[in-house]
Amino acid sequence: MRIDVLTLFPEIIESYASTSILGIAREKKLFELISHNFRDFSSDKHKCVDDVIYGGGAGMLLKCQPIFDCLDSIYNQIDKSSSTLIVTSPSGQKFDQKLAKELSQKQNLIFVCGRYEGLDQRIVDQADLNISIGDYVLTGGELAALTIIDASVRLIPGVLGDAQSLEQESFSEIDILALMEKYQVSKKELQEFLDRTGLKTKEDLKNVKFIEYPQYTRPAEFRGIRIPSVLESGDHKKIFLWRLEQSIKSNALI
Ligand code: SAM
């Protein structure tokens, strides 16, 4: 995957994308990331990238010319038809794990990071996706782009050392009924489990959105606080059922 980021602050993008797991994946060429300062493309002699808003209104808007020209230079290097152009704004579609999964399978992602009051609508209209990372307003699109990049890139095969860590993390699609079979959960144990979690039937387990259960590391007791005893029991079925119960209980909280 190749990711291009159009930003006035490439250093923000570079700093995050060269650190930790993303940095290692980038070095291993599991994905490529190129940040472009679209100010470099401004035809204005003062390299201006923003202008006042037609019809009035507070603040400045990022204008078309530098961003369109920067995009053209990228489309000279990649196949435009295989690329996904993304803008971010508080009014976009809400980002989630499903969208991260979809984006992780794309060949080329291009992000345009807004600043000031945002982007001229003619830039937004070029985009395949307009994504919001939540109902709040950031000062710029860089954190939003990095959030989307981080959540998507870590789903590219090979990026996380241990692929298993993806299998049972929050929002992943888990076949709970298959796991019940794997752990040979008896009818009685299943019924007790349903009673404890307030689920009516086994079928309700299909609709459970998986949220990660509480996890602990050594020592088993720290400042007088002990880990739940079931985790030291060595009984894999009991541990599975306990974790699933915690997951379902945290589900009820979201
Ligand atoms: N005037 C805009 C509004 O009222 O919706 C806010 C613009 S904001 C100050 C500047 C830029 O930050 C936006 O163009 C967008 O790129 C980014 N941004 C801010 N909040 C965001 C969010 N919740 N999700 C995604 N991007 C966001």
Side-chain angles (χ1 to χ4, degrees):
M1 179 197 281
R2 168 174 161 161
I3 303 172
D4 291 88
V5 184
L6 282 69
T7 169
L8 291 175
F9 302 99
E11 62 276 18
I12 299 177
I13 304 294
E14 285 303 321
S15 159
Y16 190 80
S18 22
T19 306
S20 187
I21 289 176
L22 254 60
I24 295 166
R26 207 173 160 197
E27 265 174 29
K28 284 189 186 162
K29 307 221 179 310
L30 291 170
F31 79 105
E32 190 185 355
L33 187 144
I34 305 164
S35 34
H36 311 262
N37 189 336
F38 54 84
R39 193 181 291 286
D40 297 340
F41 290 80
S42 173
S43 56
D44 179 272
K45 68 174 177 196
H46 301 295
K47 295 286 173 202
C48 182
V49 289
D50 55 337
D51 213 331
V52 293
I53 304 174
Y54 271 114
M60 304 289 271
L61 217 51
L62 287 169
K63 57 187 191 175
C64 290
Q65 180 273 319
I67 290 175
F68 271 72
D69 282 2
C70 185
L71 285 172
D72 284 349
S73 83
I74 295 168
Y75 293 140
N76 280 335
Q77 298 166 35
I78 62 166
D79 177 10
K80 184 175 177 181
S81 64
S82 71
S83 70
T84 305
L85 180 61
I86 300 170
V87 295
T88 68
S89 81
S91 56
Q93 79 175 91
K94 205 65 74 63
F95 188 57
D96 61 12
Q97 190 69 9
K98 187 166 169 275
L99 186 50
K101 180 86 189 158
E102 276 171 42
L103 295 180
S104 73
Q105 286 152 5
K106 301 280 185 191
Q107 204 174 321
N108 293 116
L109 299 179
I110 307 174
F111 291 86
V112 181
C113 300
R115 279 272 153 182
Y116 317 126
E117 286 308 313
L119 306 167
D120 184 302
Q121 185 60 32
R122 288 165 290 187
I123 303 167
V124 177
D125 291 343
Q126 303 297 310
D128 300 295
L129 294 169
N130 180 0
I131 302 177
S132 164
I133 61 159
D135 290 344
Y136 41 79
V137 182
L138 301 166
T139 54
E142 286 75 14
L143 284 178
L146 283 171
T147 300
I148 299 165
I149 291 168
D150 185 303
S152 306
V153 162
R154 67 192 290 284
L155 300 178
I156 296 174
V159 169
L160 292 188
D162 181 3
Q164 260 196 331
S165 53
L166 281 179
E167 281 170 22
Q168 288 201 12
E169 68 177 4
S170 299
F171 311 114
S172 50
E173 280 162 24
I174 292 179
D175 187 343
I176 294 174
L177 293 181
L179 285 172
M180 288 270 177
E181 265 179 43
K182 179 182 157 192
Y183 286 106
Q184 300 180 334
V185 176
S186 70
K187 276 191 178 161
K188 184 171 171 277
E189 286 165 331
L190 176 63
Q191 192 51 55
E192 284 167 0
F193 180 82
L194 294 176
D195 293 344
R196 279 202 306 277
T197 51
L199 296 176
K200 287 196 179 65
T201 69
K202 186 177 163 182
E203 293 306 298
D204 288 344
L205 287 168
K206 287 184 183 162
N207 303 322
V208 167
K209 193 195 273 178
F210 182 77
I211 304 291
E212 197 164 70
Y213 38 79
Q215 299 186 101
Y216 303 85
T217 185
R218 286 181 287 190
E221 184 170 325
F222 179 72
R223 295 193 179 178
I225 312 165
R226 268 211 86 75
I227 66 166
S229 57
V230 62
L231 298 177
E232 292 181 288
S233 68
D235 184 330
H236 296 298
K237 179 163 50 176
K238 267 194 188 154
I239 293 173
F240 160 70
L241 288 172
W242 180 84
R243 286 177 166 169
L244 187 58
E245 187 178 333
Q246 304 310 307
S247 171
I248 291 169
K249 284 179 179 163
S250 9
N251 237 296
L253 301 175
I254 60 167

